[in-house]
Amino acid sequence: QVRLVESGGGLVQAGGSLRLSCVISGRNLRSFNMGWFRQAPGKEREFVAADSIEYTGTQTYYSSSVKDRFTISRDNGKNTLYLQMNGLKPEDSAIYYCAARTVWSYRSASQYDIWGQGTSVTVSS
């Protein structure tokens, strides 16, 4: 059984940084393309960032709201996906989920087969 477990969330002041981690077990991280989503109270789950393993290397994709502030990366040897979040804003407050998919398409939650339980990020103003 494949499991994803996120960690690294917490409370941070606006302008601060956090690094989220997502550890996969049951299969090697190399088997999947990965993504990060978030969901704020009363809002729909939204795409944050994703990667895609391609012949030319690992490509990364971001929502316009986090581009140039967040960085998705992975360490296949540690079976761990990361989301480095810099310049955090109050509107970044949400539950953050990592997810695994086997297709190239990355923006829709429906493309993902496996989800973690989420980690909470709160950014104070």
Side-chain angles (χ1 to χ4, degrees), residues 10-69:
L11 173 64
V12 64
Q13 289 189 331
S17 298
L18 283 175
R19 188 176 79 158
L20 306 183
S21 299
C22 172
V23 176
I24 187 171
S25 61
R27 280 186 71 178
N28 197 290
L29 183 61
R30 292 185 181 89
S31 301
F32 299 100
N33 297 318
M34 300 297 292
W36 287 97
F37 285 74
R38 67 186 181 187
Q39 188 167 17
K43 296 189 176 182
E44 292 187 355
R45 190 168 299 191
E46 66 170 347
F47 167 74
V48 175
D51 72 10
S52 178
I53 301 173
E54 303 177 13
Y55 289 111
T56 54
T58 301
Q59 303 299 315
T60 58
Y61 309 93
Y62 300 93
S63 69
S64 57
S65 62
V66 307
K67 188 174 174 57
D68 298 327
R69 297 189 297 124

Side-chain angles (χ1 to χ4, degrees), residues 6 12-13 20 22 30 39 62-63 80 85 87 92 100 102 105 112-114 124:
E6 303 97 331
V12 64
Q13 289 189 331
L20 306 183
C22 172
R30 292 185 181 89
Q39 188 167 17
Y62 300 93
S63 69
T80 303
M85 306 187 295
D92 294 318
T102 56
S105 299
Y112 294 79
D113 306 301
I114 305 164
S124 62

